[in-house]
């Protein structure tokens, strides 16, 4: 994927599963991108999430928007994305040291991904997970950990820039059982 500072992610959300699958094929053929996720999203939508160098992501997104046509309901292009965001979406984050827990909940997948990027850039935290759409009614949420001050700063920064925010919480000293359930 090249230089991390030029890393970008792109997402196309469609209201047709068939068109979504077809759009995914066009997108990954249009440029050198990694397919992070291509799946159904509640309620009956389809999401394609890609990553790669900014130029390739922009080219694949343009093709996705063109091919998705009237079925496209939401898009997101995030250049210079924090590398933790992709790990958190892929659920491959390794948490070295459990700490306070922050949660950000959104009505949209794009808002959750954007907030995760803002939070990761705002403070020294570890993104645990960016959960998007599946089995949660099309919502998205972000879980993160770190020392209490950093978690509060990251959540506050994401809240300031948030769209379609449902709610947030910071748990200063989470139960080990709760923390384990988030991994």
């Amino acid at each position: 994927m090249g230089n991390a500072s030029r890393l970008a992610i792109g997402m196309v959300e469609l209201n047709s599963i068939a068109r979504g699958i077809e759009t995914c094929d066009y997108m990954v053929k249009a440029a050198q991108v990694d397919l992070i996720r291509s799946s159904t999203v509640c309620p009956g939508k389809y999401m394609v999430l890609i990553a790669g160098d900014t130029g390739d992501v922009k080219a694949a997104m343009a093709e996705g928007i063109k091919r998705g046509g009237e079925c496209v309901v939401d898009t997101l292009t995030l250049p210079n994305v924090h590398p933790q965001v992709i790990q958190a979406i892929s659920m491959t984050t390794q948490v070295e040291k459990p700490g306070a827990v922050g949660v950000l909940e959104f009505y949209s997948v794009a808002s959750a991904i954007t907030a995760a990027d803002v939070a990761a850039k705002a403070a020294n935290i570890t993104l645990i997970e960016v959960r998007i759409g599946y089995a949660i009614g099309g919502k998205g949420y972000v879980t993160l950990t770190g020392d209490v001050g950093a978690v509060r700063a990251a959540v506050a920064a994401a809240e300031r820039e948030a769209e379609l925010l449902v709610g947030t919480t910071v748990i200063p000293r989470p139960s080990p059982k709760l923390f384990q359930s988030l991994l």
Side-chain angles (χ1 to χ4, degrees):
M1 268 192 288
N3 187 336
S5 66
R6 292 186 32 209
L7 186 64
I9 60 175
M11 182 207 68
V12 176
E13 191 174 350
L14 304 100
N15 61 14
S16 164
I17 295 167
R19 181 72 71 85
I21 293 169
E22 178 185 44
T23 298
C24 175
D25 185 58
Y26 281 113
M27 289 173 71
V28 298
K29 288 176 178 174
Q32 288 293 114
V33 293
D34 291 333
L35 182 59
I36 303 300
R37 181 164 301 159
S38 176
S39 64
T40 55
V41 180
C42 299
K45 295 187 285 183
Y46 198 84
M47 178 190 64
V48 180
L49 187 62
I50 57 168
D53 286 342
T54 301
D56 287 325
V57 168
K58 286 182 177 177
M61 287 295 296
E63 186 69 12
I65 292 164
K66 178 178 134 189
R67 299 297 183 156
E70 74 284 353
C71 294
V72 174
V73 294
D74 199 6
T75 64
L76 171 69
T77 303
L78 211 55
N80 303 314
V81 69
H82 195 287
Q84 281 193 52
V85 174
I86 294 168
Q87 291 176 326
I89 290 169
S90 304
M91 298 186 301
T92 59
T93 301
Q94 299 295 314
V95 177
E96 301 297 321
K97 184 177 158 218
V101 168
V103 182
L104 297 139
E105 179 185 2
F106 299 88
Y107 285 113
S108 88
V109 170
S111 296
I113 294 170
T114 302
D117 187 53
V118 169
K121 290 174 178 172
N124 184 20
I125 54 91
T126 300
L127 292 174
I128 299 170
E129 182 181 10
V130 178
R131 176 75 58 95
I132 43 181
Y134 185 73
I136 55 173
K139 288 182 175 182
Y141 70 88
V142 179
T143 51
L144 53 95
T145 189
D147 69 54
V148 178
V151 169
R152 286 193 172 124
V155 168
E159 281 179 313
R160 280 193 298 276
E161 295 192 36
E163 292 182 18
L164 301 171
L165 181 68
V166 175
T168 68
T169 191
V170 173
I171 304 168
R173 287 180 295 289
S175 152
K177 291 176 184 176
L178 169 68
F179 199 92
Q180 195 58 40
S181 76
L182 297 174
L183 300 178

